[in-house]
């Protein structure tokens, strides 16, 4: 079964750091672009960051550029999001998502999400 | 960069059809045939219903269709069913370093 499972969310103070992980199974992880998408409470979906199959190209939303770092370990079938200098407006459910083959957008597989709360 | 523009809500009765619009610019929706639509039931993972403007993934009902004209994309759902009640989001590839923009979301209510 094709599956994505996020972990690493939790409560963190403003200015703190957190590392999210996304374990993939059921497909050839190294063949697909992967992204992180978040949804703040009561708000819509927001694309956060994406990484190419090999990991050598990465992109970020302006709202997280310079604070978040996306990476992947294809040998471990795992996607990561290192989040530093966290702010209250980073509070959200964070989803990892697999792109349709050959696409940066069009996410056909999503995880269930992990909640990140930034609060003192 | 601003999100794509969607109506906040739409409603219709079972069996009817609805269309949700998604308006962007020539740098995103109008510039590429890379528009997707997602169905999101609260507390669940989003599900792609349409990608590349009008392509329907296997397993998605043919009651869902997509189109585009200029800077505006549209999702049409025909023969509305109770289970279609959800939030719907459009997204588009964009020329900027942000790469992907989402719309603000549309809440569909099946009366």
């Amino acid at each position: 079964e094709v599956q994505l499972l996020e972990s690493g969310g939790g409560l963190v103070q403003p200015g703190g750091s957190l590392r999210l992980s996304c374990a993939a199974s059921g497909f050839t992880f190294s063949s697909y672009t992967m992204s992180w998408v978040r949804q703040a409470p009561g708000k819509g979906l927001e694309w956060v960051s994406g990484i190419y199959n090999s990991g050598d190209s990465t992109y970020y939303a302006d709202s997280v550029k310079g604070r978040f770092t996306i990476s992947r370990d294809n040998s471990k079938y795992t996607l990561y999001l290192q989040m530093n200098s966290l702010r209250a407006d980073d509070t959200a459910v964070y989803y990892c998502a697999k792109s349709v083959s050959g696409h940066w957008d069009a996410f056909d597989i999503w995880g269930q999400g992990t909640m990140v709360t930034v609060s003192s | 960069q601003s999100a794509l523009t969607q109506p906040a809500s739409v409603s219709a009765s079972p069996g009817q059809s609805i269309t949700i619009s998604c308006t962007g610019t020539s740098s995103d929706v109008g510039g590429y045939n890379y528009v997707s639509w997602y169905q999101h039931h609260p507390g669940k993972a989003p599900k792609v219903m349409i990608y590349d403007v009008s392509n329907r993934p296997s397993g998605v009902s043919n009651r869902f269709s997509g189109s585009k004209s200029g800077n505006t994309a549209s999702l049409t759902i025909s023969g509305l069913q109770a289970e279609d009640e959800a939030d719907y989001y459009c997204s588009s590839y964009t020329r900027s370093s942000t790469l992907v923009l989402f719309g603000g979301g549309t809440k569909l209510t099946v009366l």
Side-chain angles (χ1 to χ4, degrees):
Chain A
E1 181 190 2
V2 177
Q3 194 172 359
L4 296 171
L5 185 61
E6 302 95 338
S7 61
L11 174 64
V12 60
Q13 292 188 335
S17 298
L18 213 53
R19 188 198 200 199
L20 305 184
S21 299
C22 171
S25 59
F27 64 98
T28 305
F29 183 68
S30 60
S31 296
Y32 298 92
T33 297
M34 298 292 295
S35 285
W36 289 96
V37 177
R38 68 185 181 184
Q39 183 176 33
K43 303 290 187 182
L45 299 174
E46 179 189 18
W47 180 84
V48 172
S49 181
I51 185 167
Y52 189 62
N53 308 14
S54 59
D56 57 1
S57 292
T58 58
Y59 296 85
Y60 300 90
D62 290 342
S63 57
V64 307
K65 205 169 292 183
R67 300 187 299 121
F68 290 12
T69 302
I70 190 172
S71 62
R72 64 193 296 164
D73 186 334
N74 287 342
S75 68
K76 294 183 178 179
Y77 273 50
T78 304
L79 176 72
Y80 303 99
L81 185 67
Q82 177 66 44
M83 303 186 295
N84 299 330
S85 303
L86 282 161
R87 312 185 303 221
D89 62 359
D90 293 317
T91 294
V93 174
Y94 283 74
Y95 297 98
C96 68
K98 166 190 166 294
S99 291
V100 170
S101 180
H103 288 68
W104 275 98
D105 64 318
F107 309 116
D108 59 349
I109 303 296
W110 296 66
Q112 288 299 311
T114 186
M115 183 71 202
V116 172
T117 303
V118 183
S119 175
S120 54
Chain B
Q1 192 156 357
S2 299
L4 307 175
T5 301
Q6 297 181 231
S9 63
V10 296
S11 61
S13 299
Q16 292 186 321
S17 297
I18 63 97
T19 296
I20 300 172
S21 62
C22 170
T23 301
T25 69
S26 58
S27 296
D28 38 70
V29 174
Y32 307 92
N33 288 323
Y34 293 137
V35 176
S36 300
W37 290 92
Y38 300 89
Q39 178 189 67
H40 191 200
H41 289 105
K44 297 189 125 184
K47 176 184 177 183
V48 64
M49 308 304 284
I50 297 287
Y51 69 97
D52 289 355
V53 176
S54 59
N55 282 352
R56 201 170 41 245
S58 61
V60 173
S61 170
N62 59 10
R63 297 186 298 107
F64 292 82
S65 62
S67 62
K68 190 185 84 166
S69 177
N71 295 337
T72 298
S74 298
L75 172 71
T76 297
I77 309 174
S78 59
L80 273 175
Q81 299 177 1
E83 59 262 37
D84 298 334
E85 185 164 292
D87 296 322
Y88 289 85
Y89 294 90
C90 64
S91 74
S92 174
Y93 175 84
T94 172
R95 185 154 49 211
S96 78
S97 61
T98 295
L99 266 204
V100 180
L101 280 180
F102 277 94
T106 298
K107 182 175 181 57
L108 169 62
T109 300
V110 180
L111 302 170

